[in-house]
């Protein structure tokens, strides 16, 4: 029987309870998704938790905005997801519909080294006013750093 680490997002309840995460990689993806989509002040017991990606949705896309978002993600991940190393953010403009994609690159720390890195992408769609569901990046993104 596999050890259950956490709960998969989005929440999916069935006859066995909520679907669990069974690997550290799955848990990292769930933790980052939760951190990025939670607004500051949304958790009553910790009002500083969360990036609040949606609050950036209707802002003008400037270098300052991108820098602020990158800094916020890096600080939040360092504070709340210590087992994951933040590697950076890539922004991709999708010309049709004014959609901006934000890819967060990260790697899981393991005994002083970084395991294979991965990424998660969120899409901003100003036409619908939504932050799209996260898309996972290819299983491995080559990295050239160590801890």
């Amino acid at each position: 029987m596999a050890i259950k680490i956490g709960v998969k997002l989005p929440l999916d309840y069935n006859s066995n309870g909520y679907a669990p995460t069974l690997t550290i990689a799955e848990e990292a993806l769930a933790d980052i998704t939760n951190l990025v989509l939670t607004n500051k002040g949304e958790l009553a017991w910790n009002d500083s938790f969360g990036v609040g990606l949606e609050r950036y949705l209707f802002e003008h896309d400037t270098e300052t905005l991108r820098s602020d978002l990158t800094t916020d993600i890096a600080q939040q991940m360092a504070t709340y997801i210590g087992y994951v190393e933040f590697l950076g953010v890539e922004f991709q403009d999708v010309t049709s519909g004014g959609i901006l994609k934000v890819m967060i690159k990260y790697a899981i720390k393991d005994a002083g080294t970084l395991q294979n890195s991965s990424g998660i992408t969120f899409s901003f769609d100003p036409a619908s006013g939504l932050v799209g569901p996260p898309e996972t990046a290819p299983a491995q993104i080559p990295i050239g750093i160590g801890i």
Side-chain angles (χ1 to χ4, degrees):
M1 183 170 153
I3 296 173
K4 298 175 184 177
I5 298 172
V7 179
K8 281 187 184 179
L9 296 175
L11 294 176
D12 180 25
Y13 189 80
N14 58 38
S15 61
N16 296 322
Y18 290 105
T21 54
L22 302 175
T23 66
I24 298 295
E26 285 180 340
E27 184 61 22
L29 183 63
D31 287 348
I32 293 168
T33 300
N34 187 35
L35 181 74
V36 169
L37 295 181
T38 300
N39 293 309
K40 284 183 176 72
E42 202 169 334
L43 298 180
W45 59 90
N46 188 346
D47 62 353
S48 62
F49 177 87
V51 172
L53 197 58
E54 286 185 348
R55 72 184 165 102
Y56 291 96
L57 184 60
F58 293 105
E59 298 294 327
H60 293 287
D61 182 20
T62 64
E63 284 303 315
T64 302
L65 174 97
R66 290 180 181 206
S67 175
D68 290 349
L69 180 57
T70 300
T71 300
D72 200 9
I73 292 169
Q75 289 173 344
Q76 289 283 318
M77 286 180 67
T79 302
Y80 297 106
I81 312 176
Y83 68 95
V84 171
E85 180 76 17
F86 173 77
L87 300 178
V89 174
E90 284 185 9
F91 297 90
Q92 177 188 8
D93 297 309
V94 180
T95 54
S96 62
I99 296 173
L100 175 67
K101 292 191 174 196
V102 178
M103 176 186 247
I104 301 167
K105 292 184 174 184
Y106 63 92
I108 297 169
K109 298 176 187 177
D110 181 27
T113 62
L114 295 180
Q115 294 181 359
N116 292 329
S117 63
S118 191
I120 182 171
T121 302
F122 296 89
S123 300
F124 285 101
D125 185 357
S128 66
L130 298 174
V131 174
E135 309 161 15
T136 54
Q140 297 180 9
I141 298 171
I143 57 175
I145 63 170
I147 297 176

